[in-house]
Amino acid sequence: MPAPDVPEKPSLEGLEQKWGERWEADGTYRFDRTKSRTDIYSIDTPPPTVSGSLHVGHVFSYTHTDTVARYRRMRGREVFYPMGWDDNGLPTERRVQNYFGVRCDPALPYIASFEPPDKPPSPPLAISRPNFVELCVRLTVEDEKTFEELWRRLGLSVDWGMTYTTIGPEAQRASQLGFLHLLASGQAYQRVAPTLWDVDFQTAIAQAELEDREVASAYHRIRFGGPDGSAIEIDTTRPELIPACVALVAHPDDRRYKALVGSTARTPLFGVPVPIVAHELAEPDKGTGVAMICTFGDVTDVTWWRELRLETRTIVGRDGRVQADPPAGVERSPAWDELTGKKMEPARARIVELLRESGDLIGDPRPITHAVKFFEKGNKPLEILSSRQWFIHTLDHQERLLERGAELRWHPPYMRARFESWVNGLNTDWLISRQRFFGVPFPLWYRLGDDGSVRYDEPLVPDESRLPVDPSTDVPDGFAAEQRDQPGGFTGEPDVMDTWATSSLTPQVAGHWADDPDLFARVFPMDLRPQAHEIIRTWLFSTVVRSELEFGSLPWSDAAISGWVLDPDRKKMSKSKGNALTPIGLLDQHGADAVRYWAASGRPGVDTAFDEGQMKVGRRLAIKVLNASKFVLSRLGPEGDVTAPLDKAMLAGLASLVDEATAAFEGYDYARALERAEGFFWSFCDDYLELVKGRAYGGQGEAGAASANRALTLALSTLLRLFAPFLPFVTEEVWSWWKEGSVHRATWPASAELRGPAGNEAQPLVLEVAAAVLGEVRKAKTVAQASMRAEVARAVVRDSAERLAALAGAAHDVRDAGRIAELV
RNA sequence: GGGCGCUUAGCUCAGCUGGCAAGAGCACAUCCCUUACAAGGAUGCGGUCGGGGGUUCGAGUCCCUCAGCGCCCACCA
């Protein structure tokens, strides 16, 4: 072995750049695709949303995954660890609209030479979908560069040659191919049905994107006209929907209203006759016990409408305003004219005035706070509108999905409950179509009848070899471009798939399912899905659904769920809250290894407080690694057999540590592995290094020094490898002083390497007692306010016979370390 | 309303199958320039393990119950 090349004054400065460049040049983390599935460990990386910005939470969870990737790599697996960018979807769309001053009109033709104006025009310029998508790509490419720089800086061991995006051609191909398969197997279907609708984004919303928010509202007691001139009072929070009312409902057992069921009431202001019906879902305790059923005030209305076969009286348009014409059954009237064109809030305010004037409002509105459904990215309460949408069957598969959830190994295990409560709570199939632009288009056209009507029941699909296609510009087989939107011709499906319809295919996209079956077979089903807990119902669930329907298997064997980063007030840290610090600033200040140390100390699934103090501790640890390594390597003499009882004891303890850290990593508990390694390392430095120092320098002859040197290099080699997944920069630096190759491609330590030299007779007690005695000597010196170098004439140890016997094996080491002349 | 998790020193957290006379780091105090390390080292102060019951020779660890915090889910009149 060549003499170690140890710097005079080791430092952390510059290590990140130095090793970042070297790893790139050497291809240290490059994936070797010639390996077979059993030798590969594949990770389904979460693609971060590039139109946002990376915050501390990202650094936290991506570090977790990276420690696991590095561990598996050292265990000899070829790690498939690509990075993806989620550039698909609404956040990018909104940014592009503002940035370039454009809006998308899917009806417009593609212009190949299109360039956006220098300044964003007002009003925005309408452009075709392909042109719009080009602008999205142009903008996100810049974001992706910034993200990559940060990830490299943090030391993620990603293969940067395998990056994918969720809007790129491969993602489009996989999404469209997957959809065509579902269409062929009957798992995808379209239907005109009431769905939750965001009036700002003007798109349908899936159950998984809902969020309840507490909002201020009010009960309004309204008088309906009953039979024979009587009055029926109801409570409603949405009086503006009175013209959409199709029935009143009471519970069948409610004696107060039993007699009324089957008769007819009359709506106030509009005088529309509506039946009084009975249904189990009507709650006698709520309001007056009679509810107004509208088209559609809430999801219960939809249930009543469906089960009681009520009429449809739509009054709310896709833009969230009261539509121009009254629905069938409602006469145009002054009251209607007052409401038409208004958004919901003003319409409500106005109708309350009208009801007050007509005397149909009983008392004043009573303010309440109640939960209302919102699109998680939206600002207005969702409406329920009927529209044509595409769905994927999920309700039919609940049992099977629950089985898959049980089959998946969750880390931590209790996260499975979230998956199960979500699957059990499903109430609609998965709605995948969105009336948006920046997404993967459905690979569909429809035949037009001779009258120009769209034949939705006759979708035209492309041959799989044509994918990806954009039906707004591409033409279905057997048609000519001129036949677009002409009677007897065809029209393109205007909708795009929801972002989750693509994100649910990240294993297929990253693994090149649609264009590289050989690669895909080597990486799928994958080993690990790392992700955050709040997207179990979306990303994890939808990925399981797609894998089940396409392959009949789980997409991965293990799911590692990261917690959140909490600020000191215990709130989730995020950009929107304005309390997140920039990751680059933290890396500049503390260094990547230190930031990683903090991140890796957060256990799987546990929300963790943001703590710069921990980063300082991490930095101290990295510096300690440099200095302790310098000590071990700088005056390294000849190595020999491990004979000293103290050395054997240390190696035995280290062997146990290796077993423990390995077991922790096998259970995805990187935090435990780090904590144990760190604990061992500090006592190794404080006690063992001090005790062995004199002997290593030759104080007890050549054999003693040779034993010490052997033990020291074994320990250092082992500790560096144990720390490598957490502190990749400093461990690589030290490794390079005396070893060939990268520590990150070195073999994960095995306890057998240490148990051999330690021998069967190793007694951990030797180190324990020696350290305890040394500690007592230090205490005496501290109390005496003496230097640690002060000479001790005589030290007397009183302890059990067993411990005294153990001490005897290291008596000389203890005397040297404590500068004790006589040890009794 | 249902479910899951958390509650251990001032702060951030370990404590896995019950044996702990309760641990670590930070902070704090005192001391020490010691040839691996002053962006350091040594030593120390600090806790009736959220409350109340129970099981056990023994409970921070298991069971019941209550409380607080957080999250997930749930048909919003």
Side-chain angles (χ1 to χ4, degrees):
Chain A
M1 185 194 299
D5 181 16
V6 184
E8 198 59 34
K9 185 81 181 165
S11 156
L12 298 177
E13 296 309 313
L15 294 189
E16 287 159 28
Q17 184 167 0
K18 172 182 171 185
W19 290 110
E21 287 170 4
R22 179 72 71 79
W23 292 331
E24 178 62 26
D26 292 353
T28 306
Y29 309 122
R30 198 166 296 148
F31 176 66
D32 178 358
R33 64 168 295 165
T34 65
K35 293 286 192 337
S36 62
R37 181 66 195 87
T38 48
D39 295 330
I40 288 169
Y41 185 85
S42 45
I43 301 173
D44 185 16
T45 320
T49 305
V50 292
S51 55
S53 53
L54 290 174
H55 54 79
V56 182
H58 287 104
V59 167
F60 181 67
S61 55
Y62 281 78
T63 298
H64 299 166
T65 308
D66 189 58
T67 63
V68 171
R70 288 178 180 277
Y71 165 73
R72 293 290 169 182
R73 196 178 286 114
M74 293 176 77
R75 287 300 304 268
R77 300 281 284 274
E78 187 63 23
V79 176
F80 181 73
Y81 187 20
M83 182 57 62
W85 306 124
D86 188 10
D87 40 17
N88 175 342
L90 272 180
T92 301
E93 216 177 89
R94 275 191 286 187
R95 227 180 120 218
V96 166
Q97 286 170 348
N98 296 332
Y99 190 89
F100 293 110
V102 295
R103 69 180 179 83
C104 178
D105 183 348
L108 293 174
Y110 174 64
I111 301 170
S113 60
F114 175 77
E115 274 297 314
D118 292 339
K119 276 185 178 175
S122 183
L125 188 62
I127 59 175
S128 75
R129 184 162 69 194
N131 285 119
F132 190 83
V133 169
E134 281 178 3
L135 293 183
C136 290
V137 170
R138 186 190 295 195
L139 199 57
T140 54
V141 162
E142 289 307 309
D143 295 329
E144 288 159 14
K145 278 185 199 152
T146 311
F147 277 38
E148 181 175 331
E149 271 169 41
L150 176 65
W151 285 154
R152 284 180 181 271
R153 184 78 192 283
L154 185 62
L156 296 191
S157 60
V158 158
D159 181 346
W160 290 103
M162 299 192 306
T163 306
Y164 67 91
T165 71
T166 58
I167 197 64
E170 172 52 23
Q172 299 225 15
R173 194 174 297 120
S175 302
Q176 294 189 337
L177 186 60
F179 174 78
L180 291 179
H181 288 183
L182 292 176
L183 185 63
S185 64
Q187 295 300 333
Y189 66 93
Q190 60 180 327
R191 177 173 294 171
V192 176
T195 51
L196 290 155
W197 184 271
D198 186 284
V199 298
D200 285 333
F201 290 105
Q202 297 201 31
T203 181
I205 296 301
Q207 187 185 355
E209 298 168 295
L210 299 183
E211 177 174 291
D212 277 5
R213 291 184 203 162
E214 290 289 328
V215 297
S217 181
Y219 275 133
H220 304 73
R221 182 149 299 183
I222 310 289
R223 190 192 338 256
F224 276 59
D228 308 322
S230 64
I232 302 171
E233 294 179 2
I234 62 116
D235 272 334
T236 180
T237 56
R238 300 203 59 184
E240 73 276 16
L241 291 180
I242 286 173
C245 179
V246 292
L248 298 184
V249 63
H251 194 276
D253 299 338
D254 193 332
R255 306 176 113 194
R256 296 170 294 175
Y257 303 111
K258 232 169 185 166
L260 285 173
V261 171
S263 64
T264 299
R266 200 163 279 277
T267 63
L269 299 180
F270 299 92
V272 175
V274 292
I276 302 171
V277 296
H279 194 279
E280 304 281 344
L281 283 180
E283 292 179 39
D285 302 343
K286 248 181 185 174
T288 64
V290 183
M292 153 176 109
I293 305 177
C294 306
T295 310
F296 296 99
D298 61 37
V299 292
T300 316
D301 279 352
V302 177
T303 306
W304 281 324
W305 169 78
R306 189 188 309 119
E307 294 188 5
L308 300 170
R309 300 177 179 280
L310 301 170
E311 289 192 50
T312 306
R313 289 200 183 111
T314 303
I315 67 160
V316 183
R318 294 191 164 202
D319 58 358
R321 294 173 186 272
V322 177
Q323 65 196 28
D325 298 317
V330 180
E331 300 288 317
R332 185 173 290 280
S333 63
W336 176 265
D337 292 336
E338 291 269 7
L339 299 181
T340 188
K342 283 192 166 62
K343 293 187 179 181
M344 289 302 110
E345 297 258 339
R348 182 177 313 160
R350 186 65 191 126
I351 202 167
V352 167
E353 291 171 6
L354 295 173
L355 288 164
R356 209 187 288 277
E357 288 164 16
S358 72
D360 294 315
L361 178 68
I362 314 290
D364 285 319
R366 289 113 61 206
I368 56 159
T369 307
H370 66 164
V372 176
K373 289 196 188 307
F374 281 74
F375 174 34
E376 58 190 358
K377 294 186 169 72
N379 295 318
K380 288 229 177 69
L382 293 172
E383 294 294 336
I384 299 174
L385 300 184
S386 264
S387 54
R388 184 187 61 89
Q389 303 291 346
W390 281 94
F391 295 85
I392 295 176
H393 282 290
T394 52
L395 296 177
D396 290 350
H397 308 308
Q398 272 167 304
E399 284 304 315
R400 228 158 12 121
L401 293 170
L402 288 171
E403 285 167 20
R404 292 301 184 202
E407 200 182 311
L408 182 63
R409 289 192 294 264
W410 297 81
H411 310 284
Y414 60 78
M415 286 294 176
R416 184 178 131 197
R418 306 211 175 182
F419 177 82
E420 291 180 343
S421 72
W422 174 251
V423 174
N424 283 321
L426 286 174
N427 54 34
T428 59
D429 281 335
W430 178 11
L431 195 170
I432 58 164
S433 47
R434 295 292 180 278
Q435 290 66 55
R436 302 300 306 176
F437 322 111
F438 188 51
V440 177
F442 284 86
L444 293 174
W445 303 265
Y446 303 101
R447 203 177 277 282
L448 292 181
D450 291 336
D451 56 354
S453 62
V454 181
R455 299 270 190 75
Y456 289 113
D457 55 340
E458 291 184 43
L460 304 163
V461 301
D463 189 85
E464 290 181 1
S465 63
R466 288 185 63 189
L467 302 180
V469 299
D470 185 338
S472 74
T473 52
D474 294 320
V475 175
D477 292 326
F479 288 83
E482 301 76 52
Q483 289 177 276
R484 183 180 295 275
D485 298 328
Q486 299 300 315
F490 70 93
T491 188
E493 163 66 60
D495 290 354
V496 296
M497 297 184 206
D498 173 47
T499 184
W500 295 114
T502 295
S503 297
S504 59
L505 300 174
T506 48
Q508 288 92 315
V509 174
H512 288 258
W513 170 59
D515 68 356
D516 191 346
D518 174 75
L519 176 64
F520 190 65
R522 292 171 195 271
V523 301
F524 189 90
M526 294 196 167
D527 292 276
L528 177 65
R529 156 59 70 86
Q531 67 162 80
H533 52 67
E534 81 274 17
I535 53 174
I536 288 174
R537 70 171 179 172
T538 48
W539 194 34
L540 192 146
F541 168 77
S542 63
T543 311
V544 169
V545 169
R546 297 302 294 272
S547 181
E548 177 62 28
L549 295 181
E550 183 69 47
F551 307 109
S553 76
L554 273 177
W556 355 261
S557 58
D558 293 78
I561 309 296
S562 283
W564 285 337
V565 177
L566 304 176
D567 68 15
D569 299 331
R570 314 296 308 176
K571 295 278 186 280
K572 183 192 175 189
M573 237 185 189
S574 65
K575 179 106 188 310
S576 60
K577 293 214 167 72
N579 55 5
L581 293 109
T582 69
I584 284 287
L586 292 170
L587 291 169
D588 285 342
Q589 189 176 349
H590 304 286
D593 282 341
V595 173
R596 291 172 61 101
Y597 169 88
W598 160 75
S601 64
R603 307 188 104 72
V606 178
D607 293 346
T608 300
F610 175 73
D611 187 357
E612 288 195 75
Q614 282 298 104
M615 296 179 196
K616 292 188 177 128
V617 174
R619 186 172 178 85
R620 209 165 61 103
L621 175 62
I623 292 171
K624 194 76 172 180
V625 168
L626 285 178
N627 288 318
S629 301
K630 178 188 168 193
F631 166 70
V632 170
L633 296 174
S634 59
R635 284 177 219 177
L636 200 56
E639 295 180 28
D641 290 341
V642 176
T643 52
L646 186 76
D647 301 339
K648 290 170 177 281
M650 184 276 293
L651 291 175
L654 185 57
S656 299
L657 169 68
V658 167
D659 286 338
E660 206 175 352
T662 305
F665 258 122
E666 287 296 320
Y668 290 86
D669 195 350
Y670 46 81
R672 186 186 187 85
L674 171 59
E675 187 198 45
R676 295 313 151 99
E678 186 193 9
F680 184 96
F681 177 67
W682 280 108
S683 56
F684 172 81
C685 291
D686 295 345
D687 297 331
Y688 178 76
L689 287 187
E690 292 301 325
L691 286 164
V692 83
K693 202 179 272 184
R695 183 156 51 83
Y697 288 161
Q700 295 178 43
E702 280 182 20
S707 172
N709 287 332
R710 179 81 186 119
L712 284 167
T713 54
L714 272 172
L716 183 64
S717 161
T718 303
L719 287 166
L720 287 176
R721 284 177 287 157
L722 289 176
F723 279 131
F726 307 103
L727 313 172
F729 295 100
V730 75
T731 52
E732 185 76 318
E733 171 69 11
V734 172
W735 196 257
S736 75
W737 295 346
W738 63 313
K739 299 274 193 185
E740 291 298 315
S742 170
V743 69
H744 303 299
R745 285 284 181 175
T747 305
W748 183 254
S751 57
E753 300 170 25
L754 304 164
R755 292 231 158 79
N760 294 329
E761 74 284 10
Q763 285 187 62
L765 197 58
V766 174
L767 179 54
E768 185 189 322
V769 177
V773 172
L774 183 59
E776 288 299 321
V777 171
R778 285 170 178 156
K779 187 192 288 191
K781 290 180 180 177
T782 298
V783 168
Q785 303 198 353
S787 159
M788 287 300 132
R789 297 181 75 184
E791 301 290 341
V792 175
R794 181 181 161 86
V796 182
V797 180
R798 290 200 177 80
D799 211 325
S800 67
E802 186 194 8
R803 288 170 65 86
L804 287 175
L807 178 62
H812 200 149
D813 295 332
V814 172
R815 286 206 309 273
D816 284 354
R819 296 179 175 247
I820 303 164
E822 189 186 2
L823 182 68
V824 188

